Amino acid sequence: DTGVSQDPRHKITKRGQNVTFRCDPISEHNRLYWYRQTLGQGPEFLTYFQNEAQLEKSRLLSDRFSAERPKGSFSTLEIQRTEQGDSAMYLCASRGTSGRGDEQYFGPGTRLTVT
Amino acid sequence: GQQVMQIPQYQHVQEGEDFTTYCNSSTTLSNIQWYKQRPGGHPVFLIQLVKSGEVKKQKRLTFQFGEAKKNSSLHITATQTTDVGTYFCADSYSSASKIIFGSGTRLSIRP
């Protein structure tokens, strides 16, 4: 257990439905990342927060994806009008303040299946 | 865009044999991080290399960063069944920015 939690762990949804995932990072970490991972691939960067500010967003991320970190603590990732191609593992990672350790601590992930 | 490539994609070795995975980039890498992901698990941080030509060891694992900071390698001596998993390198642009992962090398071991 890295101290990063994600909820739910599994989500099955029908195409066209909206889904929302939650990530609770390590409490003292101000940096938070979302990744998507498909079978046989490395984690693909989606977006990055420093405190409550979303500082970077992948150009691969369509307008159907949105992420928030309203109080600089937990974060949510929402996918609207899901498509079968959205099926993947969604990973959240947290990282300490710059200069205090660069390792990322990953949560267990949320596995999304779109039918 | 910036890409980090890893070879080989798969490696199947006899327990006790050595294993090496290579990470390459066409552009200069900032900092290299290495992660291990067990089957069904999430990536776990192993180490970060920052300096050109840097070599770090963790027990049977040896990590190297190329002189030109365009490649890196992970070498495992005398593999054990606990080494099974996928090893990823990742380029950390800067300490405050996104991290780009390679596609990984999956290691399997014959007991």
Side-chain angles (χ1 to χ4, degrees), chain A residues 2 31 33 35 37 40-43 45 48 56 95 98 102-104 106-108, chain B residues 33 35 37 42-43 45 48 88 92 94-103:
Chain A
T2 60
R31 296 181 284 176
Y33 299 76
Y35 295 89
Q37 187 176 28
Q41 299 298 315
F45 171 82
Y48 158 68
E56 195 147 3
R95 205 174 178 192
S98 176
D102 280 327
E103 61 264 39
Q104 293 183 99
F106 281 84
Chain B
Q33 298 184 342
Y35 291 80
Q37 186 172 22
H42 55 269
F45 176 85
Q48 175 166 278
F88 294 100
S92 169
S94 72
S95 61
S97 188
K98 65 183 179 183
I99 295 178
I100 302 298
F101 279 78
S103 54

PDB file of all heavy atoms in Angstrom, chain A residues 2 31 33 35 37 40-43 45 48 56 95 98 102-104 106-108, chain B residues 33 35 37 42-43 45 48 88 92 94-103:
ATOM      1  N   THR A   2       0.739   2.066  -1.057  1.00  0.00           N
ATOM      2  CA  THR A   2       1.596   3.250  -1.176  1.00  0.00           C
ATOM      3  C   THR A   2       1.038   4.437  -0.420  1.00  0.00           C
ATOM      4  O   THR A   2       1.715   5.446  -0.263  1.00  0.00           O
ATOM      5  CB  THR A   2       1.734   3.645  -2.648  1.00  0.00           C
ATOM      6  OG1 THR A   2       0.422   3.950  -3.176  1.00  0.00           O
ATOM      7  CG2 THR A   2       2.345   2.520  -3.466  1.00  0.00           C
ATOM      8  N   ARG A  31       1.755  17.342  -5.616  1.00  0.00           N
ATOM      9  CA  ARG A  31       1.693  17.063  -7.046  1.00  0.00           C
ATOM     10  C   ARG A  31       0.903  15.779  -7.290  1.00  0.00           C
ATOM     11  O   ARG A  31       1.114  14.772  -6.611  1.00  0.00           O
ATOM     12  CB  ARG A  31       3.095  16.960  -7.629  1.00  0.00           C
ATOM     13  CG  ARG A  31       3.872  18.272  -7.539  1.00  0.00           C
ATOM     14  CD  ARG A  31       5.251  18.165  -8.147  1.00  0.00           C
ATOM     15  NE  ARG A  31       6.178  17.452  -7.286  1.00  0.00           N
ATOM     16  CZ  ARG A  31       7.426  17.155  -7.636  1.00  0.00           C
ATOM     17  NH1 ARG A  31       7.862  17.479  -8.837  1.00  0.00           N
ATOM     18  NH2 ARG A  31       8.223  16.526  -6.800  1.00  0.00           N
ATOM     19  N   TYR A  33      -0.848  13.236 -10.487  1.00  0.00           N
ATOM     20  CA  TYR A  33      -0.850  12.869 -11.905  1.00  0.00           C
ATOM     21  C   TYR A  33      -1.954  11.851 -12.177  1.00  0.00           C
ATOM     22  O   TYR A  33      -2.222  10.981 -11.350  1.00  0.00           O
ATOM     23  CB  TYR A  33       0.483  12.221 -12.302  1.00  0.00           C
ATOM     24  CG  TYR A  33       1.694  13.095 -12.131  1.00  0.00           C
ATOM     25  CD1 TYR A  33       2.239  13.339 -10.875  1.00  0.00           C
ATOM     26  CD2 TYR A  33       2.323  13.663 -13.237  1.00  0.00           C
ATOM     27  CE1 TYR A  33       3.363  14.129 -10.725  1.00  0.00           C
ATOM     28  CE2 TYR A  33       3.449  14.454 -13.101  1.00  0.00           C
ATOM     29  CZ  TYR A  33       3.962  14.693 -11.832  1.00  0.00           C
ATOM     30  OH  TYR A  33       5.077  15.477 -11.689  1.00  0.00           O
ATOM     31  N   TYR A  35      -2.826   8.966 -15.190  1.00  0.00           N
ATOM     32  CA  TYR A  35      -2.326   8.216 -16.334  1.00  0.00           C
ATOM     33  C   TYR A  35      -3.393   7.226 -16.785  1.00  0.00           C
ATOM     34  O   TYR A  35      -4.249   6.810 -16.014  1.00  0.00           O
ATOM     35  CB  TYR A  35      -1.071   7.410 -15.976  1.00  0.00           C
ATOM     36  CG  TYR A  35       0.144   8.218 -15.610  1.00  0.00           C
ATOM     37  CD1 TYR A  35       0.364   8.609 -14.299  1.00  0.00           C
ATOM     38  CD2 TYR A  35       1.079   8.566 -16.574  1.00  0.00           C
ATOM     39  CE1 TYR A  35       1.494   9.343 -13.952  1.00  0.00           C
ATOM     40  CE2 TYR A  35       2.209   9.293 -16.242  1.00  0.00           C
ATOM     41  CZ  TYR A  35       2.410   9.679 -14.923  1.00  0.00           C
ATOM     42  OH  TYR A  35       3.520  10.396 -14.589  1.00  0.00           O
ATOM     43  N   GLN A  37      -3.456   3.394 -18.734  1.00  0.00           N
ATOM     44  CA  GLN A  37      -2.602   2.288 -19.146  1.00  0.00           C
ATOM     45  C   GLN A  37      -3.441   1.195 -19.781  1.00  0.00           C
ATOM     46  O   GLN A  37      -4.413   0.721 -19.196  1.00  0.00           O
ATOM     47  CB  GLN A  37      -1.814   1.722 -17.959  1.00  0.00           C
ATOM     48  CG  GLN A  37      -0.779   0.677 -18.360  1.00  0.00           C
ATOM     49  CD  GLN A  37       0.047   0.190 -17.198  1.00  0.00           C
ATOM     50  OE1 GLN A  37      -0.388   0.187 -16.055  1.00  0.00           O
ATOM     51  NE2 GLN A  37       1.281  -0.226 -17.475  1.00  0.00           N
ATOM     52  N   GLY A  40      -0.116  -4.130 -22.041  1.00  0.00           N
ATOM     53  CA  GLY A  40       1.147  -4.208 -22.768  1.00  0.00           C
ATOM     54  C   GLY A  40       1.802  -2.869 -23.043  1.00  0.00           C
ATOM     55  O   GLY A  40       2.826  -2.811 -23.727  1.00  0.00           O
ATOM     56  N   GLN A  41       1.230  -1.816 -22.499  1.00  0.00           N
ATOM     57  CA  GLN A  41       1.783  -0.471 -22.714  1.00  0.00           C
ATOM     58  C   GLN A  41       2.193   0.161 -21.401  1.00  0.00           C
ATOM     59  O   GLN A  41       1.738  -0.244 -20.326  1.00  0.00           O
ATOM     60  CB  GLN A  41       0.755   0.423 -23.404  1.00  0.00           C
ATOM     61  CG  GLN A  41       0.327  -0.055 -24.777  1.00  0.00           C
ATOM     62  CD  GLN A  41       1.462  -0.108 -25.755  1.00  0.00           C
ATOM     63  OE1 GLN A  41       2.272   0.816 -25.851  1.00  0.00           O
ATOM     64  NE2 GLN A  41       1.582  -1.212 -26.480  1.00  0.00           N
ATOM     65  N   GLY A  42       3.046   1.159 -21.496  1.00  0.00           N
ATOM     66  CA  GLY A  42       3.393   1.921 -20.312  1.00  0.00           C
ATOM     67  C   GLY A  42       2.307   2.921 -19.988  1.00  0.00           C
ATOM     68  O   GLY A  42       1.448   3.226 -20.818  1.00  0.00           O
ATOM     69  N   PRO A  43       2.317   3.444 -18.771  1.00  0.00           N
ATOM     70  CA  PRO A  43       1.345   4.475 -18.419  1.00  0.00           C
ATOM     71  C   PRO A  43       1.464   5.671 -19.348  1.00  0.00           C
ATOM     72  O   PRO A  43       2.562   6.153 -19.623  1.00  0.00           O
ATOM     73  CB  PRO A  43       1.750   4.840 -16.990  1.00  0.00           C
ATOM     74  CG  PRO A  43       2.475   3.644 -16.468  1.00  0.00           C
ATOM     75  CD  PRO A  43       3.195   3.084 -17.649  1.00  0.00           C
ATOM     76  N   PHE A  45       0.606   9.547 -19.939  1.00  0.00           N
ATOM     77  CA  PHE A  45       0.305  10.749 -19.186  1.00  0.00           C
ATOM     78  C   PHE A  45      -0.996  11.378 -19.675  1.00  0.00           C
ATOM     79  O   PHE A  45      -1.222  11.551 -20.866  1.00  0.00           O
ATOM     80  CB  PHE A  45       1.456  11.750 -19.346  1.00  0.00           C
ATOM     81  CG  PHE A  45       1.163  13.115 -18.797  1.00  0.00           C
ATOM     82  CD1 PHE A  45       1.300  13.372 -17.441  1.00  0.00           C
ATOM     83  CD2 PHE A  45       0.762  14.138 -19.621  1.00  0.00           C
ATOM     84  CE1 PHE A  45       1.040  14.632 -16.931  1.00  0.00           C
ATOM     85  CE2 PHE A  45       0.492  15.408 -19.127  1.00  0.00           C
ATOM     86  CZ  PHE A  45       0.639  15.648 -17.775  1.00  0.00           C
ATOM     87  N   TYR A  48      -1.735  16.731 -15.056  1.00  0.00           N
ATOM     88  CA  TYR A  48      -0.904  16.952 -13.887  1.00  0.00           C
ATOM     89  C   TYR A  48      -1.402  18.166 -13.103  1.00  0.00           C
ATOM     90  O   TYR A  48      -1.746  19.197 -13.688  1.00  0.00           O
ATOM     91  CB  TYR A  48       0.540  17.163 -14.351  1.00  0.00           C
ATOM     92  CG  TYR A  48       1.444  17.897 -13.396  1.00  0.00           C
ATOM     93  CD1 TYR A  48       1.819  17.324 -12.190  1.00  0.00           C
ATOM     94  CD2 TYR A  48       1.942  19.161 -13.704  1.00  0.00           C
ATOM     95  CE1 TYR A  48       2.652  17.991 -11.317  1.00  0.00           C
ATOM     96  CE2 TYR A  48       2.774  19.830 -12.843  1.00  0.00           C
ATOM     97  CZ  TYR A  48       3.127  19.240 -11.649  1.00  0.00           C
ATOM     98  OH  TYR A  48       3.965  19.901 -10.783  1.00  0.00           O
ATOM     99  N   GLU A  56      -0.760  20.937 -16.580  1.00  0.00           N
ATOM    100  CA  GLU A  56      -0.491  20.341 -17.882  1.00  0.00           C
ATOM    101  C   GLU A  56      -1.558  19.303 -18.207  1.00  0.00           C
ATOM    102  O   GLU A  56      -2.048  18.597 -17.320  1.00  0.00           O
ATOM    103  CB  GLU A  56       0.895  19.702 -17.908  1.00  0.00           C
ATOM    104  CG  GLU A  56       1.389  19.383 -19.302  1.00  0.00           C
ATOM    105  CD  GLU A  56       2.894  19.520 -19.428  1.00  0.00           C
ATOM    106  OE1 GLU A  56       3.584  19.801 -18.436  1.00  0.00           O
ATOM    107  OE2 GLU A  56       3.381  19.329 -20.559  1.00  0.00           O
ATOM    108  N   ARG A  95       3.160  12.855  -5.800  1.00  0.00           N
ATOM    109  CA  ARG A  95       4.576  13.155  -5.745  1.00  0.00           C
ATOM    110  C   ARG A  95       4.753  14.303  -4.763  1.00  0.00           C
ATOM    111  O   ARG A  95       3.933  15.221  -4.713  1.00  0.00           O
ATOM    112  CB  ARG A  95       5.008  13.589  -7.146  1.00  0.00           C
ATOM    113  CG  ARG A  95       6.448  13.396  -7.515  1.00  0.00           C
ATOM    114  CD  ARG A  95       6.576  13.774  -8.991  1.00  0.00           C
ATOM    115  NE  ARG A  95       7.945  13.681  -9.462  1.00  0.00           N
ATOM    116  CZ  ARG A  95       8.388  14.164 -10.610  1.00  0.00           C
ATOM    117  NH1 ARG A  95       7.546  14.792 -11.411  1.00  0.00           N
ATOM    118  NH2 ARG A  95       9.634  14.037 -10.961  1.00  0.00           N
ATOM    119  N   SER A  98       8.503  19.577  -4.941  1.00  0.00           N
ATOM    120  CA  SER A  98       9.736  19.587  -5.719  1.00  0.00           C
ATOM    121  C   SER A  98      10.930  19.825  -4.814  1.00  0.00           C
ATOM    122  O   SER A  98      10.946  20.730  -3.995  1.00  0.00           O
ATOM    123  CB  SER A  98       9.648  20.699  -6.775  1.00  0.00           C
ATOM    124  OG  SER A  98      10.863  20.786  -7.490  1.00  0.00           O
ATOM    125  N   ASP A 102      11.591  12.908  -5.901  1.00  0.00           N
ATOM    126  CA  ASP A 102      10.923  12.953  -7.190  1.00  0.00           C
ATOM    127  C   ASP A 102      10.142  11.700  -7.524  1.00  0.00           C
ATOM    128  O   ASP A 102       9.538  11.642  -8.574  1.00  0.00           O
ATOM    129  CB  ASP A 102      11.954  13.223  -8.295  1.00  0.00           C
ATOM    130  CG  ASP A 102      12.306  14.698  -8.373  1.00  0.00           C
ATOM    131  OD1 ASP A 102      11.403  15.513  -8.104  1.00  0.00           O
ATOM    132  OD2 ASP A 102      13.443  15.021  -8.713  1.00  0.00           O
ATOM    133  N   GLU A 103      10.183  10.699  -6.653  1.00  0.00           N
ATOM    134  CA  GLU A 103       9.469   9.480  -6.997  1.00  0.00           C
ATOM    135  C   GLU A 103       7.971   9.698  -6.951  1.00  0.00           C
ATOM    136  O   GLU A 103       7.459  10.476  -6.153  1.00  0.00           O
ATOM    137  CB  GLU A 103       9.863   8.324  -6.075  1.00  0.00           C
ATOM    138  CG  GLU A 103       9.576   8.543  -4.610  1.00  0.00           C
ATOM    139  CD  GLU A 103      10.805   9.045  -3.884  1.00  0.00           C
ATOM    140  OE1 GLU A 103      11.546   9.870  -4.474  1.00  0.00           O
ATOM    141  OE2 GLU A 103      11.014   8.617  -2.744  1.00  0.00           O
ATOM    142  N   GLN A 104       7.284   8.991  -7.847  1.00  0.00           N
ATOM    143  CA  GLN A 104       5.835   8.988  -7.857  1.00  0.00           C
ATOM    144  C   GLN A 104       5.356   7.755  -7.112  1.00  0.00           C
ATOM    145  O   GLN A 104       5.917   6.671  -7.267  1.00  0.00           O
ATOM    146  CB  GLN A 104       5.308   8.904  -9.288  1.00  0.00           C
ATOM    147  CG  GLN A 104       5.569  10.108 -10.150  1.00  0.00           C
ATOM    148  CD  GLN A 104       4.939   9.903 -11.500  1.00  0.00           C
ATOM    149  OE1 GLN A 104       3.854  10.385 -11.798  1.00  0.00           O
ATOM    150  NE2 GLN A 104       5.616   9.166 -12.349  1.00  0.00           N
ATOM    151  N   PHE A 106       2.162   5.401  -6.946  1.00  0.00           N
ATOM    152  CA  PHE A 106       0.953   5.099  -7.693  1.00  0.00           C
ATOM    153  C   PHE A 106      -0.108   4.468  -6.806  1.00  0.00           C
ATOM    154  O   PHE A 106       0.185   3.695  -5.887  1.00  0.00           O
ATOM    155  CB  PHE A 106       1.268   4.124  -8.842  1.00  0.00           C
ATOM    156  CG  PHE A 106       1.883   4.788 -10.034  1.00  0.00           C
ATOM    157  CD1 PHE A 106       3.248   5.025 -10.088  1.00  0.00           C
ATOM    158  CD2 PHE A 106       1.098   5.182 -11.109  1.00  0.00           C
ATOM    159  CE1 PHE A 106       3.825   5.641 -11.195  1.00  0.00           C
ATOM    160  CE2 PHE A 106       1.660   5.798 -12.215  1.00  0.00           C
ATOM    161  CZ  PHE A 106       3.028   6.025 -12.259  1.00  0.00           C
ATOM    162  N   GLY A 107      -1.352   4.783  -7.130  1.00  0.00           N
ATOM    163  CA  GLY A 107      -2.469   4.087  -6.518  1.00  0.00           C
ATOM    164  C   GLY A 107      -2.722   2.779  -7.235  1.00  0.00           C
ATOM    165  O   GLY A 107      -2.081   2.473  -8.246  1.00  0.00           O
ATOM    166  N   PRO A 108      -3.692   1.995  -6.746  1.00  0.00           N
ATOM    167  CA  PRO A 108      -3.963   0.682  -7.339  1.00  0.00           C
ATOM    168  C   PRO A 108      -4.664   0.753  -8.685  1.00  0.00           C
ATOM    169  O   PRO A 108      -4.721  -0.243  -9.404  1.00  0.00           O
ATOM    170  CB  PRO A 108      -4.862   0.014  -6.291  1.00  0.00           C
ATOM    171  CG  PRO A 108      -5.533   1.157  -5.607  1.00  0.00           C
ATOM    172  CD  PRO A 108      -4.537   2.272  -5.584  1.00  0.00           C
TER     173      PRO A 108
ATOM    174  N   GLN B  33      13.797   7.866 -14.615  1.00  0.00           N
ATOM    175  CA  GLN B  33      13.283   7.080 -13.494  1.00  0.00           C
ATOM    176  C   GLN B  33      13.009   5.665 -13.984  1.00  0.00           C
ATOM    177  O   GLN B  33      12.636   5.466 -15.139  1.00  0.00           O
ATOM    178  CB  GLN B  33      12.001   7.703 -12.938  1.00  0.00           C
ATOM    179  CG  GLN B  33      12.203   9.101 -12.381  1.00  0.00           C
ATOM    180  CD  GLN B  33      10.938   9.667 -11.754  1.00  0.00           C
ATOM    181  OE1 GLN B  33       9.834   9.192 -11.998  1.00  0.00           O
ATOM    182  NE2 GLN B  33      11.093  10.701 -10.927  1.00  0.00           N
ATOM    183  N   TYR B  35      10.815   2.086 -13.014  1.00  0.00           N
ATOM    184  CA  TYR B  35       9.715   1.540 -12.237  1.00  0.00           C
ATOM    185  C   TYR B  35       9.572   0.057 -12.541  1.00  0.00           C
ATOM    186  O   TYR B  35       9.905  -0.402 -13.633  1.00  0.00           O
ATOM    187  CB  TYR B  35       8.394   2.224 -12.600  1.00  0.00           C
ATOM    188  CG  TYR B  35       8.299   3.663 -12.175  1.00  0.00           C
ATOM    189  CD1 TYR B  35       8.907   4.677 -12.913  1.00  0.00           C
ATOM    190  CD2 TYR B  35       7.591   4.022 -11.030  1.00  0.00           C
ATOM    191  CE1 TYR B  35       8.832   5.999 -12.509  1.00  0.00           C
ATOM    192  CE2 TYR B  35       7.496   5.348 -10.624  1.00  0.00           C
ATOM    193  CZ  TYR B  35       8.121   6.325 -11.368  1.00  0.00           C
ATOM    194  OH  TYR B  35       8.036   7.632 -10.979  1.00  0.00           O
ATOM    195  N   GLN B  37       6.572  -3.019 -12.416  1.00  0.00           N
ATOM    196  CA  GLN B  37       5.159  -3.308 -12.256  1.00  0.00           C
ATOM    197  C   GLN B  37       4.973  -4.820 -12.268  1.00  0.00           C
ATOM    198  O   GLN B  37       5.235  -5.472 -13.280  1.00  0.00           O
ATOM    199  CB  GLN B  37       4.342  -2.644 -13.377  1.00  0.00           C
ATOM    200  CG  GLN B  37       2.831  -2.767 -13.205  1.00  0.00           C
ATOM    201  CD  GLN B  37       2.074  -1.929 -14.234  1.00  0.00           C
ATOM    202  OE1 GLN B  37       2.590  -1.578 -15.283  1.00  0.00           O
ATOM    203  NE2 GLN B  37       0.817  -1.606 -13.940  1.00  0.00           N
ATOM    204  N   HIS B  42       0.524  -2.120  -9.714  1.00  0.00           N
ATOM    205  CA  HIS B  42       0.769  -0.785 -10.231  1.00  0.00           C
ATOM    206  C   HIS B  42       2.270  -0.521 -10.247  1.00  0.00           C
ATOM    207  O   HIS B  42       3.034  -1.217  -9.571  1.00  0.00           O
ATOM    208  CB  HIS B  42       0.052   0.254  -9.352  1.00  0.00           C
ATOM    209  CG  HIS B  42       0.413   0.153  -7.906  1.00  0.00           C
ATOM    210  ND1 HIS B  42      -0.292  -0.616  -7.019  1.00  0.00           N
ATOM    211  CD2 HIS B  42       1.418   0.718  -7.196  1.00  0.00           C
ATOM    212  CE1 HIS B  42       0.251  -0.517  -5.824  1.00  0.00           C
ATOM    213  NE2 HIS B  42       1.304   0.280  -5.903  1.00  0.00           N
ATOM    214  N   PRO B  43       2.719   0.461 -11.024  1.00  0.00           N
ATOM    215  CA  PRO B  43       4.154   0.749 -11.075  1.00  0.00           C
ATOM    216  C   PRO B  43       4.686   1.163  -9.706  1.00  0.00           C
ATOM    217  O   PRO B  43       4.053   1.934  -8.988  1.00  0.00           O
ATOM    218  CB  PRO B  43       4.244   1.902 -12.076  1.00  0.00           C
ATOM    219  CG  PRO B  43       3.007   1.795 -12.901  1.00  0.00           C
ATOM    220  CD  PRO B  43       1.951   1.298 -11.956  1.00  0.00           C
ATOM    221  N   PHE B  45       8.163   2.747  -7.933  1.00  0.00           N
ATOM    222  CA  PHE B  45       9.406   3.465  -8.200  1.00  0.00           C
ATOM    223  C   PHE B  45      10.604   2.661  -7.720  1.00  0.00           C
ATOM    224  O   PHE B  45      10.609   2.118  -6.607  1.00  0.00           O
ATOM    225  CB  PHE B  45       9.355   4.813  -7.485  1.00  0.00           C
ATOM    226  CG  PHE B  45      10.610   5.640  -7.584  1.00  0.00           C
ATOM    227  CD1 PHE B  45      10.824   6.448  -8.683  1.00  0.00           C
ATOM    228  CD2 PHE B  45      11.560   5.613  -6.570  1.00  0.00           C
ATOM    229  CE1 PHE B  45      11.971   7.230  -8.769  1.00  0.00           C
ATOM    230  CE2 PHE B  45      12.705   6.391  -6.653  1.00  0.00           C
ATOM    231  CZ  PHE B  45      12.912   7.197  -7.755  1.00  0.00           C
ATOM    232  N   GLN B  48      15.972   6.969  -9.476  1.00  0.00           N
ATOM    233  CA  GLN B  48      16.078   8.077 -10.415  1.00  0.00           C
ATOM    234  C   GLN B  48      17.558   8.354 -10.687  1.00  0.00           C
ATOM    235  O   GLN B  48      18.370   8.369  -9.764  1.00  0.00           O
ATOM    236  CB  GLN B  48      15.422   9.342  -9.853  1.00  0.00           C
ATOM    237  CG  GLN B  48      15.615  10.561 -10.754  1.00  0.00           C
ATOM    238  CD  GLN B  48      14.732  11.713 -10.404  1.00  0.00           C
ATOM    239  OE1 GLN B  48      13.569  11.765 -10.793  1.00  0.00           O
ATOM    240  NE2 GLN B  48      15.264  12.663  -9.648  1.00  0.00           N
ATOM    241  N   PHE B  88       9.760  -0.410 -16.479  1.00  0.00           N
ATOM    242  CA  PHE B  88       9.564   0.790 -17.280  1.00  0.00           C
ATOM    243  C   PHE B  88      10.634   1.823 -16.948  1.00  0.00           C
ATOM    244  O   PHE B  88      10.957   2.036 -15.781  1.00  0.00           O
ATOM    245  CB  PHE B  88       8.212   1.445 -16.978  1.00  0.00           C
ATOM    246  CG  PHE B  88       7.009   0.637 -17.373  1.00  0.00           C
ATOM    247  CD1 PHE B  88       6.312  -0.106 -16.434  1.00  0.00           C
ATOM    248  CD2 PHE B  88       6.564   0.635 -18.687  1.00  0.00           C
ATOM    249  CE1 PHE B  88       5.197  -0.834 -16.786  1.00  0.00           C
ATOM    250  CE2 PHE B  88       5.451  -0.100 -19.057  1.00  0.00           C
ATOM    251  CZ  PHE B  88       4.769  -0.835 -18.103  1.00  0.00           C
ATOM    252  N   SER B  92      11.537  12.162 -16.804  1.00  0.00           N
ATOM    253  CA  SER B  92      10.932  13.225 -16.017  1.00  0.00           C
ATOM    254  C   SER B  92      11.464  14.540 -16.547  1.00  0.00           C
ATOM    255  O   SER B  92      12.620  14.886 -16.332  1.00  0.00           O
ATOM    256  CB  SER B  92      11.314  13.038 -14.548  1.00  0.00           C
ATOM    257  OG  SER B  92      10.968  14.177 -13.802  1.00  0.00           O
ATOM    258  N   SER B  94      11.113  17.642 -15.856  1.00  0.00           N
ATOM    259  CA  SER B  94      11.691  18.433 -14.781  1.00  0.00           C
ATOM    260  C   SER B  94      10.979  18.001 -13.531  1.00  0.00           C
ATOM    261  O   SER B  94      10.010  17.248 -13.586  1.00  0.00           O
ATOM    262  CB  SER B  94      11.486  19.929 -15.013  1.00  0.00           C
ATOM    263  OG  SER B  94      10.131  20.263 -14.817  1.00  0.00           O
ATOM    264  N   SER B  95      11.414  18.415 -12.446  1.00  0.00           N
ATOM    265  CA  SER B  95      10.832  17.932 -11.203  1.00  0.00           C
ATOM    266  C   SER B  95       9.394  18.402 -11.034  1.00  0.00           C
ATOM    267  O   SER B  95       8.679  17.937 -10.176  1.00  0.00           O
ATOM    268  CB  SER B  95      11.672  18.390 -10.015  1.00  0.00           C
ATOM    269  OG  SER B  95      11.707  19.807  -9.971  1.00  0.00           O
ATOM    270  N   ALA B  96       8.957  19.318 -11.875  1.00  0.00           N
ATOM    271  CA  ALA B  96       7.609  19.860 -11.696  1.00  0.00           C
ATOM    272  C   ALA B  96       6.692  19.558 -12.872  1.00  0.00           C
ATOM    273  O   ALA B  96       5.656  20.168 -13.001  1.00  0.00           O
ATOM    274  CB  ALA B  96       7.689  21.369 -11.497  1.00  0.00           C
ATOM    275  N   SER B  97       7.071  18.631 -13.707  1.00  0.00           N
ATOM    276  CA  SER B  97       6.311  18.474 -14.938  1.00  0.00           C
ATOM    277  C   SER B  97       5.929  17.029 -15.197  1.00  0.00           C
ATOM    278  O   SER B  97       6.106  16.164 -14.362  1.00  0.00           O
ATOM    279  CB  SER B  97       7.121  19.039 -16.097  1.00  0.00           C
ATOM    280  OG  SER B  97       6.357  19.067 -17.278  1.00  0.00           O
ATOM    281  N   LYS B  98       5.391  16.794 -16.368  1.00  0.00           N
ATOM    282  CA  LYS B  98       4.879  15.469 -16.709  1.00  0.00           C
ATOM    283  C   LYS B  98       6.027  14.480 -16.839  1.00  0.00           C
ATOM    284  O   LYS B  98       7.193  14.832 -16.944  1.00  0.00           O
ATOM    285  CB  LYS B  98       4.106  15.530 -18.013  1.00  0.00           C
ATOM    286  CG  LYS B  98       4.943  15.874 -19.229  1.00  0.00           C
ATOM    287  CD  LYS B  98       4.066  15.976 -20.459  1.00  0.00           C
ATOM    288  CE  LYS B  98       4.890  16.349 -21.674  1.00  0.00           C
ATOM    289  NZ  LYS B  98       4.032  16.531 -22.871  1.00  0.00           N
ATOM    290  N   ILE B  99       5.658  13.233 -16.820  1.00  0.00           N
ATOM    291  CA  ILE B  99       6.625  12.150 -16.921  1.00  0.00           C
ATOM    292  C   ILE B  99       6.198  11.250 -18.067  1.00  0.00           C
ATOM    293  O   ILE B  99       5.031  10.856 -18.143  1.00  0.00           O
ATOM    294  CB  ILE B  99       6.685  11.365 -15.599  1.00  0.00           C
ATOM    295  CG1 ILE B  99       7.227  12.279 -14.497  1.00  0.00           C
ATOM    296  CG2 ILE B  99       7.548  10.128 -15.743  1.00  0.00           C
ATOM    297  CD1 ILE B  99       7.285  11.639 -13.135  1.00  0.00           C
ATOM    298  N   ILE B 100       7.114  10.947 -18.961  1.00  0.00           N
ATOM    299  CA  ILE B 100       6.809  10.129 -20.134  1.00  0.00           C
ATOM    300  C   ILE B 100       7.415   8.752 -19.919  1.00  0.00           C
ATOM    301  O   ILE B 100       8.631   8.615 -19.737  1.00  0.00           O
ATOM    302  CB  ILE B 100       7.394  10.751 -21.417  1.00  0.00           C
ATOM    303  CG1 ILE B 100       6.840  12.161 -21.623  1.00  0.00           C
ATOM    304  CG2 ILE B 100       7.098   9.860 -22.621  1.00  0.00           C
ATOM    305  CD1 ILE B 100       5.338  12.214 -21.813  1.00  0.00           C
ATOM    306  N   PHE B 101       6.559   7.743 -19.983  1.00  0.00           N
ATOM    307  CA  PHE B 101       6.990   6.366 -19.773  1.00  0.00           C
ATOM    308  C   PHE B 101       7.337   5.687 -21.080  1.00  0.00           C
ATOM    309  O   PHE B 101       6.721   5.944 -22.125  1.00  0.00           O
ATOM    310  CB  PHE B 101       5.870   5.561 -19.102  1.00  0.00           C
ATOM    311  CG  PHE B 101       5.787   5.751 -17.620  1.00  0.00           C
ATOM    312  CD1 PHE B 101       5.201   6.882 -17.083  1.00  0.00           C
ATOM    313  CD2 PHE B 101       6.303   4.797 -16.753  1.00  0.00           C
ATOM    314  CE1 PHE B 101       5.127   7.072 -15.711  1.00  0.00           C
ATOM    315  CE2 PHE B 101       6.228   4.968 -15.382  1.00  0.00           C
ATOM    316  CZ  PHE B 101       5.646   6.108 -14.867  1.00  0.00           C
ATOM    317  N   GLY B 102       8.312   4.796 -21.029  1.00  0.00           N
ATOM    318  CA  GLY B 102       8.576   3.894 -22.124  1.00  0.00           C
ATOM    319  C   GLY B 102       7.534   2.795 -22.150  1.00  0.00           C
ATOM    320  O   GLY B 102       6.682   2.699 -21.254  1.00  0.00           O
ATOM    321  N   SER B 103       7.619   1.945 -23.161  1.00  0.00           N
ATOM    322  CA  SER B 103       6.615   0.890 -23.319  1.00  0.00           C
ATOM    323  C   SER B 103       6.887  -0.326 -22.442  1.00  0.00           C
ATOM    324  O   SER B 103       6.044  -1.196 -22.317  1.00  0.00           O
ATOM    325  CB  SER B 103       6.530   0.464 -24.786  1.00  0.00           C
ATOM    326  OG  SER B 103       7.814   0.098 -25.244  1.00  0.00           O
TER     327      SER B 103
END
